[in-house]
Amino acid sequence: MTSIKIRCSLLVLTFLLVPLKHLEAQNDASGEIESKIDAIFKNFDDLNAPGATVAVVQDQKIIFKKGYGSANLEYGIPNSPSTIFHIASVSKQFTVFAILLLEKEGKLSFDDDIRTYIPEVPDFGKTITLKHLASHTSGMRDQWTLLGLAGWRFDDVITKEHILKIVAQQKELNFDPGEEYTYCNTGFTLLAEVVARVSGKSFAEFTEEHIFKPLKMSNTLFYDDHEKIVKNRAYSYYYVNNNTFKKSVLSFANVGATSLFTTVEDLALWSMNFSSNTVGDKTIIEKMNTLAVLNNGETFGGAYGQFVNTHRGLNQIQHGGADAGYRSYLGRFPDQNFAVMVFSNLAQSNPGNLALQVADIYLEDFIEKDTSTSDTTTQDDVDYIKLSSKDLEKFNGHFWNEDQKYARKIYVKNDTLRYFRGEGNESALAPVSPTEFKMLGVNIDLRVKFSELNKKRKMTVIINDDEPIISYGFTPPSYEISDLKEFTGAYYSPELQTTYNAVIKNGKLTFTHHRASDTSVSSAKHDMFLAGGYSFMFERKANKQITGFRVSAGRVRNLWFKKVN
């Protein structure tokens, strides 16, 4: 009898030891993984500096979460997984989801005209649908660029009403709806307003009731009141130099395109909903994840409130965000039922790169073994070559891109070829062949190739193997001060209700504004001037008298300023 008891006791002990050993092995693995993640975030692990938070989801569970650095430098409060961040454009997928919830209830259609719900949107002669707005294909001008041109600062209090007013004043689109893709925040502000008008509740109230509460996202809200107190929030900063930081102030009081406040813990719950369908249903999720299609039938990598790409051979659905000093990223890998999210309160951080390094640790067994670099990370295993300054100087010159109406200057400085976009905005180019260069200091794989076509100098830029961007050599006109005087005067934009004065200052044509900083411009072509990412194309009557100019700036095209004196 005693021997039976002993055997039974040994059997029970063996049973207990097996899972304990397995658990110990798991803990060892977890410790190793945490050490690897800590190494990725080592530059953020300082309570005297802004930091980051990270969470990892696998098979509907949070398997890792941690905070690094400080949420508030004035009080030395550390970041934790429960620290609340402003996550900027990652907000957009929630806005689309809210619209689709209303569609499910039969209260609207994704294909409805925006003017059905917001008649203040001008009639541009073309139907702009909610679907166009949700996929950045509406052709509408971007709210932030418009406000910037109107003299607003991004630390001003900017409300929904301010944005709706400037939208109502617009006379033109960048392009016909559905013809192109150009990132546009305006569309998501309008979508949030549609949700409010259709539901009879503010967008913040609707999302709280229909998304955040059901998903138990208890530390999440859309921040539509810049004076509202939010406990445990992180503040944002930017690096100056010598371990010195400054506050990057954000006073937004508008929602839809931005202004979601949340934690990595709560966003993890949101990422799980794409598989669990706790809120919404499979139809909504599939619609959000589907690539948008242009009028010509082509796709461009954009879905609805999200983007679809691959990372080291794995399908990914992702979006990043950047406002003030806040940076954020959510990447979902649906085939692996995996997600990773990273927030930071440092403007110079790159959460996308950090998140994908974390993903590489967990998804190692799924990654294509012959893929040496990520589609979206910045690993650099390029073999550079040495070219003399004399060889580099062959590429000196100015190059004009007709499609986007911008010029780039290529020149040599300190034995390095430089890609010059405007004052304070240039990048070094490192040679990988006698005629091809890789841009340094950017978070993408950007190559610049030089060649000749029909005796014209040609510069080809390729970003991450996308379609080539082609510019051709040209010689900018040389204006004397006496020539520049005819461009001086006051110019008024009825769409912005603001005036710029063009004056001669320090020998340059300069635009002044009662709020904006003075902007000196350089000649590019006849009657065209450039400053940074802005182009100014002057127009004339038949008698050659200047009537005004049109300004283009990436997400805004051909905005008219009339000469008034």
Side-chain angles (χ1 to χ4, degrees):
M1 190 71 169
T2 303
S3 62
I4 294 175
K5 286 182 178 179
I6 292 172
R7 284 198 300 269
C8 286
S9 298
L10 288 172
L11 185 60
V12 171
L13 184 59
T14 303
F15 247 124
L16 289 171
L17 287 173
V18 170
L20 283 172
K21 287 181 179 178
H22 177 66
L23 181 60
E24 185 180 346
Q26 281 187 320
N27 288 337
D28 287 345
S30 298
E32 182 181 348
I33 287 174
E34 182 172 7
S35 295
K36 289 180 179 179
I37 295 176
D38 286 346
I40 293 170
F41 288 89
K42 64 182 180 181
N43 293 332
F44 297 87
D45 197 12
D46 180 356
L47 195 56
N48 296 310
T53 58
V54 56
V56 178
V57 172
Q58 177 73 66
D59 298 329
Q60 302 300 99
K61 294 179 181 178
I62 298 176
I63 59 172
F64 183 87
K65 59 182 180 179
K66 195 166 183 178
Y68 301 88
S70 181
N72 187 303
L73 293 180
E74 292 170 323
Y75 292 95
I77 300 170
N79 279 318
S80 77
S82 58
T83 301
I84 295 174
F85 283 74
H86 168 107
I87 64 168
S89 288
V90 179
S91 309
K92 290 179 170 68
Q93 55 197 272
F94 290 84
T95 307
V96 174
F97 191 80
I99 285 285
L100 295 178
L101 285 176
L102 289 174
E103 184 181 51
K104 180 186 176 185
E105 295 176 12
K107 295 182 178 180
L108 55 75
S109 168
F110 213 28
D111 294 309
D112 284 344
D113 186 338
I114 181 59
R115 299 188 73 250
T116 302
Y117 306 101
I118 309 180
E120 308 96 287
V121 174
D123 183 357
F124 297 105
K126 305 284 183 179
T127 299
I128 299 173
T129 67
L130 307 184
K131 184 183 287 186
H132 287 137
L133 297 171
S135 57
H136 306 281
T137 60
S138 68
M140 296 194 73
R141 292 165 171 164
D142 188 78
Q143 61 193 42
W144 303 130
T145 308
L146 290 172
L147 288 166
L149 285 166
W152 289 71
R153 292 166 46 121
F154 292 119
D155 55 0
D156 286 334
V157 175
I158 300 175
T159 67
K160 171 192 69 178
E161 287 74 21
H162 293 135
I163 295 169
L164 291 179
K165 282 181 180 179
I166 207 165
V167 167
Q169 294 162 192
Q170 298 305 297
K171 308 293 184 186
E172 299 177 38
L173 296 171
N174 286 333
F175 51 83
D176 287 345
E179 286 295 309
E180 300 180 32
Y181 155 79
T182 293
Y183 196 91
C184 180
N185 289 283
T186 312
F188 291 83
T189 299
L190 293 175
L191 290 174
E193 181 63 7
V194 169
V195 171
R197 295 189 185 188
V198 171
S199 69
K201 302 175 180 178
S202 73
F203 185 67
E205 290 169 340
F206 180 89
T207 50
E208 169 67 15
E209 179 181 336
H210 294 273
I211 301 176
F212 307 145
K213 278 188 177 180
L215 291 178
K216 296 182 172 56
M217 297 171 68
S218 57
N219 289 309
T220 301
L221 71 153
F222 268 103
Y223 193 70
D224 58 0
D225 176 1
H226 72 286
E227 294 180 322
K228 186 171 185 176
I229 294 172
V230 178
K231 292 183 178 180
N232 203 31
R233 67 182 287 191
Y235 287 82
S236 74
Y237 305 89
Y238 64 95
Y239 179 76
V240 182
N241 54 44
N242 299 324
N243 293 320
T244 301
F245 301 91
K246 285 193 173 183
K247 291 187 292 186
S248 192
V249 179
L250 189 67
S251 301
F252 286 175
N254 60 84
V255 294
T258 184
S259 297
L260 183 70
F261 276 30
T262 191
T263 67
V264 288
E265 293 173 325
D266 273 10
L267 196 65
L269 298 174
W270 165 253
S271 74
M272 296 177 199
N273 191 59
F274 284 88
S275 297
S276 67
N277 305 152
T278 302
V279 177
D281 57 22
K282 188 176 181 181
T283 301
I284 289 177
I285 299 303
E286 288 179 348
K287 186 172 286 191
M288 285 186 67
N289 292 345
T290 301
L291 286 171
V293 180
L294 298 175
N295 294 341
N296 61 8
E298 294 183 359
T299 60
F300 52 90
Y304 297 96
Q306 307 173 105
F307 292 92
V308 179
N309 64 1
T310 59
H311 170 70
R312 305 192 72 174
L314 305 180
N315 294 321
Q316 184 189 199
I317 303 173
Q318 53 80 22
H319 208 300
D323 279 331
Y326 294 106
R327 299 293 182 267
S328 57
Y329 188 87
L330 169 61
R332 297 188 295 107
F333 294 80
D335 298 339
Q336 287 74 37
N337 201 11
F338 178 90
V340 58
M341 53 232 69
V342 173
F343 304 161
S344 177
N345 53 340
L346 175 64
Q348 287 87 351
S349 65
N350 185 344
N353 178 268
L354 297 167
L356 294 174
Q357 289 184 63
V358 173
D360 288 347
I361 294 172
Y362 287 95
L363 302 179
E364 181 181 8
D365 292 340
F366 299 96
I367 292 171
E368 291 181 355
K369 300 304 179 184
D370 60 346
T371 304
S372 59
T373 61
S374 164
D375 300 335
T376 46
T377 60
T378 57
Q379 298 176 32
D380 193 350
D381 62 351
V382 178
D383 292 325
Y384 296 106
I385 66 171
K386 177 69 176 176
L387 293 179
S388 67
S389 290
K390 185 176 181 180
D391 289 332
L392 294 175
E393 287 169 359
K394 297 175 184 176
F395 306 110
N396 283 352
H398 298 266
F399 294 83
W400 178 256
N401 181 281
E402 182 61 28
D403 290 339
Q404 298 295 322
K405 299 290 190 296
Y406 66 73
R408 296 291 184 259
K409 177 183 174 183
I410 305 297
Y411 76 104
V412 177
K413 178 182 178 182
N414 299 329
D415 297 327
T416 302
L417 200 63
R418 310 290 296 184
Y419 183 96
F420 179 87
R421 306 174 192 85
E423 292 299 330
N425 187 5
E426 63 180 63
S427 299
L429 299 175
V432 295
S433 84
T435 58
E436 180 179 348
F437 296 77
K438 186 179 189 304
M439 186 172 290
L440 303 179
V442 294
N443 299 316
I444 51 178
D445 182 18
L446 192 153
R447 306 299 178 100
V448 181
K449 299 179 181 180
F450 296 94
S451 60
E452 283 197 12
L453 180 66
N454 299 326
K455 296 184 179 180
K456 290 184 65 176
R457 300 182 73 197
K458 178 181 176 184
M459 180 175 74
T460 303
V461 174
I462 300 177
I463 302 172
N464 291 337
D465 296 323
D466 288 342
E467 290 294 315
I469 302 168
I470 298 174
S471 304
Y472 293 98
F474 77 102
T475 301
S478 178
Y479 286 106
E480 300 292 335
I481 291 180
S482 57
D483 299 322
L484 293 176
K485 286 182 179 178
E486 71 168 327
F487 297 103
T488 61
Y491 295 84
Y492 177 75
S493 168
E495 293 168 278
L496 301 181
Q497 296 185 359
T498 199
T499 299
Y500 278 83
N501 289 291
V503 300
I504 307 296
K505 189 174 181 180
N506 299 324
K508 282 191 167 187
L509 185 66
T510 302
F511 288 104
T512 66
H513 186 272
H514 71 282
R515 288 203 71 197
S517 300
D518 291 356
T519 302
S520 297
V521 297
S522 302
S523 60
K525 288 195 166 188
H526 180 67
D527 285 346
M528 176 175 278
F529 295 82
L530 302 176
Y534 294 83
S535 68
F536 304 83
M537 185 71 210
F538 286 84
E539 296 186 1
R540 299 173 183 267
K541 293 180 180 178
N543 65 1
K544 307 297 184 181
Q545 183 180 359
I546 291 174
T547 57
F549 65 81
R550 292 189 181 274
V551 60
S552 295
R555 296 173 183 177
V556 167
R557 301 180 193 173
N558 301 317
L559 185 69
W560 175 243
F561 281 77
K562 181 181 179 179
K563 188 170 186 182
V564 290
N565 68 36

